[in-house]
Amino acid sequence: MRMTINEEVVEGIILKRTFYKENDVILHVYTKDFGKIGIHARGIRKLTSKNARACQEMMISEMTIHLKKGLSSLMKATPIHYLRHIKENLDSEIIGNYILEYYYRYIEENMPSLKEYNMLITSLKALDQGYPPLLVYLLFNVFILEHNGIVINVDGCVQCGSKKVISISIEDGGFLCAEHLRQHQIYSIEFLKAFRHIHKISIHHIDSLHIDENIMKELIKVMDYFIEEYTGISLHTKTFIQQIV
């Protein structure tokens, strides 16, 4: 919504706050219309600041800004959704921080994408609504792979296309049948079905996914291998995730 030549009202999710000067903060925000941008919020660390309430990490806010190249300037901020329930559950908060860190560190600035915005907001809302944090983590990692151009073959054996699969190959990028098993581990049918489901069902339909927690923890080990092997992405919050798996 354009107010003047460079004044915009934007909806966004605050990824990170960086203290600046005595009372200012640089907000790193993923906005619906402009992608990831930096916003200079003057004086919001003061007790009298009217904007401070809407400028916390991991919340959805509406912000009136002077849009500029480099750092934009905050004029007004209003909270839309606090996502407060995430911080009531330690596991949810850890996964939420993992999601924010990925967007802060690996999403390009000034490159708006409705798909990226919807993934971010839907993932955080799923955590806020009480869906299993590990399931949200798995679905978000599928997004990370796809965002980096990696699509795992879960439609059949990567070697011959057979639907009678019994294993997963990190090296080959998908399912394997008995004929092409080689030295790979054999997995249960339940595990293989769950692995396929997380790649076929988006987080927007998380209601339809019902996966046992023990299977989720095994899936995470395999997905973490894929992330490490194919993307090289390393997030600081991963240390905390390893403690809850």
Side-chain angles (χ1 to χ4, degrees):
M1 177 179 174
R2 189 175 295 275
M3 305 298 290
T4 64
I5 292 176
N6 66 339
E7 186 175 312
E8 300 281 348
V9 177
V10 299
E11 176 185 310
I13 299 174
I14 299 168
L15 307 174
K16 184 177 174 64
R17 289 159 41 104
T18 303
F19 288 171
Y20 180 67
K21 296 184 177 178
E22 185 177 354
N23 293 305
D24 298 356
V25 169
I26 305 300
L27 303 173
H28 307 274
V29 185
Y30 195 98
T31 67
K32 189 173 184 178
D33 296 319
F34 300 102
K36 189 174 72 174
I37 61 173
I39 301 173
H40 183 190
R42 291 179 174 84
I44 68 164
R45 293 166 63 193
K46 293 181 179 178
L47 294 176
T48 55
S49 172
K50 295 180 180 179
N51 291 325
R53 190 167 58 103
C55 293
Q56 304 303 313
E57 289 179 5
M58 204 182 299
M59 70 182 302
I60 306 168
S61 294
E62 182 182 85
M63 288 163 276
T64 303
I65 62 173
H66 280 303
L67 187 66
K68 306 174 187 176
K69 289 184 178 179
L71 281 178
S72 297
S73 298
L74 180 71
M75 300 168 61
K76 179 183 177 183
T78 305
I80 296 175
H81 200 315
Y82 287 102
L83 299 169
R84 58 169 58 89
H85 298 303
I86 294 178
K87 295 188 178 181
E88 293 173 358
N89 180 291
L90 180 59
D91 291 1
S92 294
E93 186 174 7
I94 289 171
I95 303 303
N97 286 330
Y98 177 85
I99 292 167
L100 295 187
E101 186 185 358
Y102 179 78
Y103 270 75
Y104 171 68
R105 293 182 58 194
Y106 290 101
I107 298 290
E108 290 187 40
E109 293 193 358
N110 306 309
M111 295 287 287
S113 164
L114 188 57
K115 181 179 179 180
E116 290 176 3
Y117 183 80
N118 286 339
M119 184 66 196
L120 176 57
I121 199 168
T122 305
S123 299
L124 294 176
K125 282 186 174 180
L127 291 171
D128 189 61
Q129 291 163 8
Y131 287 100
L134 296 183
L135 181 56
V136 175
Y137 175 71
L138 282 167
L139 294 170
F140 188 76
N141 276 341
V142 173
F143 164 76
I144 289 179
L145 288 173
E146 292 177 351
H147 184 252
N148 287 272
I150 309 301
V151 178
I152 307 303
N153 187 337
V154 293
D155 291 322
C157 176
V158 292
Q159 297 294 336
C160 66
S162 171
K163 304 299 182 183
K164 296 180 179 180
V165 297
I166 61 172
S167 186
I168 300 168
S169 169
I170 306 294
E171 299 85 355
D172 299 320
F175 284 151
L176 289 177
C177 67
E179 184 178 348
H180 298 98
L181 179 63
R182 302 191 301 277
Q183 79 283 4
H184 292 90
Q185 178 181 344
I186 295 175
Y187 293 100
S188 69
I189 292 175
E190 291 75 18
F191 180 91
L192 295 170
K193 282 183 177 179
F195 186 77
R196 186 175 192 275
H197 287 160
I198 64 170
H199 287 273
K200 288 293 186 179
I201 299 174
S202 77
I203 196 164
H204 304 284
H205 303 289
I206 193 171
D207 273 329
S208 62
L209 282 169
H210 304 281
I211 302 175
D212 180 82
E213 185 175 354
N214 290 327
I215 289 181
M216 279 197 285
K217 290 181 177 181
E218 289 302 310
L219 286 170
I220 286 171
K221 292 178 185 178
V222 175
M223 285 298 292
D224 284 353
Y225 281 130
F226 273 108
I227 295 287
E228 182 179 339
E229 182 71 21
Y230 285 96
T231 71
I233 286 169
S234 176
L235 298 174
H236 301 307
T237 43
K238 189 61 180 294
T239 302
F240 299 103
I241 290 172
Q242 289 171 346
Q243 294 173 7
I244 64 175
V245 174

